[in-house]
């Protein structure tokens, strides 16, 4: 069956099907299948007799026998087992019944050994019977007695007494099946593993009280299973993972309190004031539980968790000026040679213009140095290869610069889930660094607000490259960006983006301009000069826009095209000026003037034409809205919402679909 769907419902026996239980992550493969009632169960291919599972040597001082290695199953193996053979399309209230039916077919009823593990001790036991409906095994101690405990009082007699108190019935998820080379107990080991994993990682104590009119696997098991493996593979931001576990712990604690309050009310026959107080307390607990459950479901939903994460982690606060009033220079170096220190003092730490003594702090980690910064301070990073596990959250106006060439100062991101650099400071500058991502799911640099200047840097991306959010500003100069599986640069409505003398290459798309035609969006201001945009899989520049702009259908006649368009030339160097040049940012006006003599090329012209036409549509929409409000003469500043475009001297080469295209949605 396709993922996300469930087999046709046919009672608990629907789980009694041949089972593709899969293999351990070490590469071994196996297939579990059930035979008829009168024949024995068979595991895997009998062409090669013996077990198909790996083995694990238990830790500790006691020489326990090896156990089956079942805790490294792949996602699809667990998915298939729960969907096809254990839960099928059961409801939340039927989970235990379906699981018991599965165990009756998969589990050997006796004759196998296991290590019984708790938080306090481990002991070797033998299973003599299985109570399927209670998901418990009846056990006895093995001979010789093998036990390891944090408390020395667990003697043979004490353990016998403990088992008697438990009526020798042990939950299956506390048992780890002893390894057997014959293969006879492979399916038993896998069945116990599936039960253990389900109740440790999937099941919630409040699940049984959820609405019982939906498919439990589709609604609960699949998203939780996917999240579990996303966390294992570091594809979820670490802060979001910490919040998720915290919400689960809080919800479990509140639910226990809620059950106690509810049981007290149920057991009381009187209509006393104390009972009324308990009911109010129960309602308050219920509201808190529901609020936490909604947060948990947001994170478990693969489509919503990143939106949730972005909203949370983009709101870090600036520290402002250091309380002492002193501005500190932070120097980062794993080791410092005398010659390097002399050069550093000469070039950076004792400038002739400096009239006062500098206070210096030394760090061996760039992330620690940035976290120690206050407003207006500088981080100087010496040559070296630095591996960081965390996010650069830069909320103050600081400068982060490498001392040397970018290829000599490498900062590599460890961990897949987190962003690399998040910027919200009013004026941040990053220069002379190489940033490297591996196996990431978040972009390499996000400018959420304020202005960020990126100069003489190399960015080796993994997913999206640089994202310029609404109301944020990016100035990127003399830098090289490559490797993004999305766009190299994403420009949001209402942002300002200036790209000068950069290389953007070997990405899925070079530059992506988000749709800004919605009435709630402001037009972005974009300047591009002398960039080399080449060898991208799709277009060099892509504009995202709706298929039909209903308010301005007649505007499309003014030089725009409704379908994707592309242009490619062997040497596309050009100077094409858009309108509203008087609004050009002062910081780049002089540099843009250097390219005024370049010849016009078809690729640059297409970009300007399309962006200008889109800007005209936006202007017309704005005028129409003002007219509907009864405003016939608008203020010039209010009406000047045309896009500032300066496309100067850019080269577009060897892009898979051409220099420019539009993406219609």
């Amino acid at each position: 069956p396709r993922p996300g769907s469930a087999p046709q419902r046919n009672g608990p026996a629907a789980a009694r099907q041949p089972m593709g239980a899969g293999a351990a992550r070490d590469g071994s493969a196996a297939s579990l299948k059930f035979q008829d009632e009168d024949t024995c169960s068979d595991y895997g291919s009998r062409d090669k007799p013996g077990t198909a599972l790996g083995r694990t040597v238990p830790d500790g001082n006691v020489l326990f026998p090896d156990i089956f290695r079942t805790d490294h199953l792949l996602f699809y193996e667990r998915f298939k087992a729960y969907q096809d053979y254990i839960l099928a399309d059961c409801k939340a209230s039927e989970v235990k019944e379906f699981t018991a039916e599965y165990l009756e077919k998969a589990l050997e009823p006796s004759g196998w050994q296991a290590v019984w593990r708790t938080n306090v001790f481990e002991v070797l036991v033998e299973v003599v019977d299985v109570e399927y409906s209670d998901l418990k095994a009846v056990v006895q101690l093995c001979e010789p007695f093998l036990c390891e405990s944090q408390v020395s009082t667990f003697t043979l007699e004490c353990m016998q007494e403990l088992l008697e108190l438990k009526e020798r019935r042990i939950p299956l998820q506390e048992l780890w099946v002893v390894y057997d080379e014959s293969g006879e107990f492979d399916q038993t080991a896998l069945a116990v593993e599936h039960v253990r994993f389900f109740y440790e990682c999937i099941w919630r104590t409040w699940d049984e009280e959820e609405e019982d009119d939906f498919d439990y696997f589709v609604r609960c098991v699949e998203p939780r299973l996917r999240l579990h493996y996303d966390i294992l593979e570091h594809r979820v931001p670490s802060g979001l993972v910490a919040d998720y576990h915290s919400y689960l712990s809080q919800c479990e604690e509140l639910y226990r309190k809620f059950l106690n309050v509810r049981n007290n009310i149920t057991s009381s026959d009187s209509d006393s004031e104390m009972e009324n107080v308990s009911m109010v307390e129960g309602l308050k607990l219920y509201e808190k539980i529901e609020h936490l459950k909604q947060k948990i479901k947001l994170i478990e939903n693969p489509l919503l968790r990143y939106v949730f994460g972005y909203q949370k982690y983009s709101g870090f606060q600036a520290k402002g000026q250091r309380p002492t009033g002193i501005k500190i220079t932070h120097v980062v170096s794993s080791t410092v040679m005398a010659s390097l220190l002399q050069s550093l003092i000469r070039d950076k730490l004792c400038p002739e213009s400096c009239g006062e003594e500098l206070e210096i702090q030394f760090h061996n980690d760039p992330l620690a140095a940035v976290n120690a910064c206050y407003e207006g301070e500088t981080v100087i990073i010496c040559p070296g290869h630095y591996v960081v596990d965390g996010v650069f959250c830069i909320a103050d106006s600081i400068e982060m610069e490498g001392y040397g060439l970018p290829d000599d100062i490498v900062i590599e991101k460890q961990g897949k889930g987190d962003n690399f650099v998040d910027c919200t400071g009013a004026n941040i500058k990053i220069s002379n660094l190489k940033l490297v991502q591996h196996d990431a799911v978040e972009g390499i640099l996000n400018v959420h607000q304020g202005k960020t200047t990126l100069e003489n840097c190399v960015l080796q991306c993994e997913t999206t490259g640089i994202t310029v959010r609404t109301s944020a500003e990016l100035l990127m100069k003399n830098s090289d960006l490559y490797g993004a599986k999305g766009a190299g640069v994403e420009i949001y409505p209402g942002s300002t983006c200036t790209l000068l003398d950069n290389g953007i290459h070997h990405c899925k798309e070079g530059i992506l301009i988000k749709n800004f035609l919605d009435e709630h969006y402001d037009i972005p201001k974009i300047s591009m000069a002398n960039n080399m945009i080449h060898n991208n899989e799709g277009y060099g520049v892509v504009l995202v826009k709706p298929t039909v702009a209903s308010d301005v259908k007649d505007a499309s006649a003014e030089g725009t095209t409704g379908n994707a368009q592309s242009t490619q030339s062997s040497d596309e160097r050009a100077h094409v000026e858009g309108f509203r040049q008087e609004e050009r940012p002062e910081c780049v006006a002089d540099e843009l003037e250097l390219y005024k003599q370049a010849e016009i090329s078809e690729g640059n012209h297409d970009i300007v034409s399309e962006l200008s036409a889109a800007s005209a549509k936006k202007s017309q929409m704005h005028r129409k809205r003002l007219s509907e409000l009864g405003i016939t003469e608008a203020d010039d500043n209010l009406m000047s919402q045309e896009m500032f475009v300066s496309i100067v001297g850019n080269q577009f080469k060897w892009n898979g679909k051409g220099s420019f295209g539009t993406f219609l949605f």
Side-chain angles (χ1 to χ4, degrees), residues 325-329 349-359:
I326 299 174
K327 290 185 179 180
I328 293 177
T329 299
L349 303 181
C350 288
E352 297 178 359
S353 59
C354 183
E356 59 183 20
E357 194 75 16
L358 289 177
E359 184 170 335

Side-chain angles (χ1 to χ4, degrees), residues 410-424:
V410 179
I411 302 178
E412 184 176 345
K413 178 73 171 67
Q414 187 178 58
K416 305 173 184 178
D418 293 310
N419 293 339
F420 200 161
V421 183
D422 276 347
C423 300
T424 61

Side-chain angles (χ1 to χ4, degrees), residues 437-560:
Q437 273 186 316
H438 297 295
D439 300 323
V441 294
E442 298 289 340
I444 198 165
L445 189 147
N446 269 288
V447 187
H448 296 288
Q449 60 190 46
K451 178 182 178 181
T452 296
T453 300
L454 198 67
E455 185 171 2
N456 197 31
C457 290
V458 177
L459 291 89
Q460 180 180 318
C461 308
E462 180 65 25
T463 52
T464 303
I466 299 174
T467 301
V468 192
R469 300 280 181 180
T470 299
S471 301
E473 180 179 352
L474 171 71
L475 170 58
M476 180 176 171
K477 300 166 58 179
N478 303 309
S479 296
D480 192 47
L481 185 153
Y482 60 92
K485 291 185 174 66
V489 179
E490 278 192 4
I491 303 173
Y492 274 68
S495 63
T496 301
C497 184
T498 304
L499 306 174
L500 307 173
D501 299 282
N502 302 293
I504 301 174
H505 55 98
H506 294 92
C507 304
K508 184 174 179 59
E509 310 285 354
I511 299 168
L512 186 143
I513 304 169
K514 295 277 191 176
N515 169 53
F516 55 84
L517 289 180
D518 187 280
E519 62 179 286
H520 302 294
Y521 294 158
D522 291 328
I523 295 175
K525 296 182 178 180
I526 303 168
S527 302
M528 294 171 55
N530 204 35
N531 299 286
M532 172 66 84
I533 302 173
H534 65 96
N535 290 100
N536 295 292
E537 182 181 336
Y539 294 104
V541 178
V542 177
L543 172 64
V544 179
K545 65 179 184 179
T547 305
V548 177
S550 58
D551 292 336
V552 286
K553 292 179 181 178
D554 56 340
S556 60
E558 300 180 10
T560 66

Side-chain angles (χ1 to χ4, degrees), residues 174-416:
E174 294 181 7
L175 299 179
W176 299 78
V177 182
V178 169
Y179 182 78
D180 184 277
E181 293 183 346
S182 69
E184 181 180 355
F185 300 112
D186 282 18
Q187 68 179 33
T188 295
L190 282 171
V192 172
E193 170 62 26
H194 289 317
V195 172
R196 174 171 40 250
F197 181 87
F198 176 79
Y199 282 100
E200 287 181 358
C201 303
I202 304 297
W203 180 255
R204 310 284 181 249
T205 54
W206 55 83
D207 279 354
E208 206 163 6
E209 298 194 13
E210 292 279 358
E211 296 177 9
D212 212 17
D213 58 352
F214 61 84
D215 187 324
Y216 180 72
F217 177 86
V218 173
R219 183 151 174 187
C220 295
V221 178
E222 181 179 357
R224 292 171 187 173
L225 185 62
R226 290 187 185 279
L227 176 60
H228 176 84
Y229 276 88
D230 283 344
I231 292 173
L232 278 184
E233 295 166 5
H234 307 288
R235 297 192 177 278
V236 181
S238 56
L240 206 55
V241 174
D243 277 357
Y244 180 65
H245 291 307
S246 174
Y247 294 151
L248 285 176
S249 299
Q250 292 176 51
C251 205
E252 290 280 0
E253 179 64 27
L254 289 173
Y255 188 69
R256 280 195 293 269
K257 292 180 179 178
F258 174 76
L259 289 180
N260 290 334
V261 171
R262 188 175 66 180
N263 292 336
N264 290 337
I265 295 174
T266 304
S267 60
S268 175
D269 295 330
S270 62
D271 189 15
S272 63
E273 182 178 348
M274 185 65 69
E275 183 176 347
N276 292 335
V277 171
S278 296
M279 290 183 68
V280 173
E281 182 185 356
L283 286 173
K284 289 181 179 179
L285 287 171
Y286 179 80
E287 290 177 356
K288 290 180 180 179
I289 291 168
E290 289 300 311
H291 183 64
L292 283 171
K293 283 161 66 174
Q294 288 304 315
K295 289 185 175 182
I296 290 168
K297 288 177 180 177
L298 273 177
I299 301 176
E300 289 175 347
N301 188 310
L303 299 177
L304 297 178
R305 76 175 63 129
Y306 296 110
V307 176
F308 179 82
Y310 165 67
Q311 290 175 343
K312 176 175 176 64
Y313 296 105
S314 62
F316 38 86
Q317 298 295 316
K319 298 178 184 176
Q321 297 286 341
R322 189 174 289 274
T324 60
I326 299 174
K327 290 185 179 180
I328 293 177
T329 299
H330 303 263
V331 177
V332 180
S333 180
S334 52
T335 57
V336 182
M337 304 296 291
S339 57
L340 174 64
L341 187 58
Q342 289 176 351
S343 301
L344 190 62
I345 292 173
R346 181 185 68 244
D347 298 337
K348 296 291 182 180
L349 303 181
C350 288
E352 297 178 359
S353 59
C354 183
E356 59 183 20
E357 194 75 16
L358 289 177
E359 184 170 335
I360 303 169
Q361 284 186 6
F362 287 90
H363 308 264
N364 58 11
D365 177 20
L367 185 57
V370 170
N371 290 340
C373 276
Y374 283 77
E375 181 79 14
E377 297 186 346
T378 301
V379 177
I380 300 173
I381 304 176
C382 295
H385 191 118
Y386 305 91
V387 178
V388 298
D389 188 2
V391 187
F392 287 93
C393 298
I394 309 177
D396 292 280
S397 296
I398 68 169
E399 186 170 344
M400 182 178 173
E401 62 173 305
Y403 181 59
L405 299 174
D407 286 335
D408 296 330
I409 307 151
V410 179
I411 302 178
E412 184 176 345
K413 178 73 171 67
Q414 187 178 58
K416 305 173 184 178

Side-chain angles (χ1 to χ4, degrees), residues 1 7 11-22 31-34 76-90 97-106 194 217:
R16 302 178 183 177
Q17 305 173 28
M19 177 179 179
S31 176
L32 178 61
K33 58 183 179 180
F34 298 124
Y76 78 89
E77 295 171 311
R78 295 194 193 276
F79 182 97
K80 186 173 180 63
Y82 292 127
Q83 184 189 45
D84 293 354
Y85 314 114
I86 304 177
L87 302 176
D89 60 348
C90 74
E97 178 188 357
F98 272 59
T99 304
E101 290 281 347
Y102 159 74
L103 290 176
E104 285 186 33
K105 302 298 295 182
H194 289 317
F217 177 86

Side-chain angles (χ1 to χ4, degrees), residues 106-154:
L107 208 62
E108 292 291 339
S110 61
W112 47 280
Q113 293 184 341
V115 176
W116 175 24
R117 288 181 176 175
T118 70
N119 294 329
V120 181
F121 62 82
E122 296 183 9
V123 63
L124 186 64
V125 296
E126 181 179 353
V127 174
V128 297
D129 195 10
V130 176
E131 296 184 356
Y132 300 104
S133 59
D134 294 328
L135 309 183
K136 290 185 177 182
V138 181
V139 303
Q140 63 184 18
L141 295 177
C142 288
E143 296 181 1
F145 173 66
L146 293 179
C147 178
E148 183 169 25
S149 170
Q150 300 173 5
V151 182
S152 58
T153 55
F154 276 96

